[in-house]
Amino acid sequence: MSKQHKRHFLKDKEAKKLLENASKKLKIALEKCFAGMPKVELVEADFGEVYLLNGEPALFKSGENVYPTLMFKEVFGFLPKVVVDMGAVPHICNGADVMAPGILNFEGEFVKGDIALVVDEKHGKPIAVGEILYSANEVAEVRRGVMVKNIHYVGDKIWKIMKELTSA
């Protein structure tokens, strides 16, 4: 039942530009995650683009922005984390944004618009990648509403294509 997706390696110049853009968005020097320049492969799907770095699904493009996937373990230690209670997990894994009442705490430094990893309280496993909608000094004041916009989560189209690519 697996679909064939259009795949090709990026030229070094294109790969370098992609990594520079992703590094700026994530505020991480991605080249430090790899020994030398990684081989970058583009997988074009009907919903967007997924980038494999050295064969691993690491980045995806949504609109003009590049985000890390939930399989890009090399960046997990650099991203701020949003720890959510177990009651919020099923909702987030169905695509819901992260709401204030479900957040237990934030780890790491961040400002409004930063990309964060959403993790569950029990295992600390990443369940989503999102954009923080408030700065660190504002979050303590927010009691309700959306705190983190859900961009990519376990079970979404990106997750499914990543699983398909890694099982091939």
Side-chain angles (χ1 to χ4, degrees):
M1 179 120 170
S2 146
K3 271 192 206 172
Q4 263 316 64
H5 301 286
K6 190 174 173 187
R7 295 173 70 154
H8 66 277
F9 284 97
L10 295 183
K11 294 177 181 166
D12 287 345
K13 191 174 182 178
E14 293 172 308
K16 186 174 179 162
K17 186 174 180 174
L18 171 77
L19 292 177
E20 284 172 0
N21 289 341
S23 293
K24 272 187 219 163
K25 180 74 176 167
L26 300 174
K27 299 179 181 177
I28 302 167
L30 287 177
E31 62 274 3
K32 290 182 181 176
C33 296
F34 303 96
M37 181 71 165
K39 290 284 183 200
V40 181
E41 188 176 4
L42 167 62
V43 178
E44 294 179 50
D46 56 351
F47 60 85
E49 300 173 339
V50 176
Y51 296 92
L52 284 74
L53 304 183
N54 291 338
E56 293 297 317
L59 301 168
F60 70 95
K61 192 170 188 179
S62 176
E64 289 303 308
N65 293 317
V66 178
Y67 301 101
T69 68
L70 288 167
M71 289 187 177
F72 194 10
K73 292 179 175 69
E74 291 83 355
V75 300
F76 289 1
F78 299 104
L79 294 174
K81 290 180 183 56
V82 180
V83 181
V84 297
D85 65 40
M86 295 309 287
V89 172
H91 301 287
I92 294 166
C93 291
N94 277 325
D97 291 329
V98 183
M99 307 300 280
I103 297 174
L104 298 175
N105 66 312
F106 290 86
E107 296 175 4
E109 296 178 17
F110 61 90
V111 295
K112 181 180 179 178
D114 277 358
I115 301 303
L117 205 56
V118 180
V119 300
D120 71 60
E121 69 175 319
K122 191 172 184 179
H123 306 287
K125 294 214 181 223
I127 59 168
V129 172
E131 181 180 340
I132 299 176
L133 301 179
Y134 295 91
S135 63
N137 58 356
E138 294 173 319
V139 295
E141 306 299 319
V142 180
R143 300 276 181 253
R144 53 188 229 185
V146 178
M147 296 281 285
V148 180
K149 182 179 184 294
N150 195 340
I151 296 170
H152 163 48
Y153 54 91
V154 172
D156 68 3
K157 290 179 180 181
I158 297 158
W159 178 263
K160 289 175 183 165
I161 196 171
M162 290 185 319
K163 287 295 190 182
E164 192 178 301
L165 292 168
T166 55
S167 68

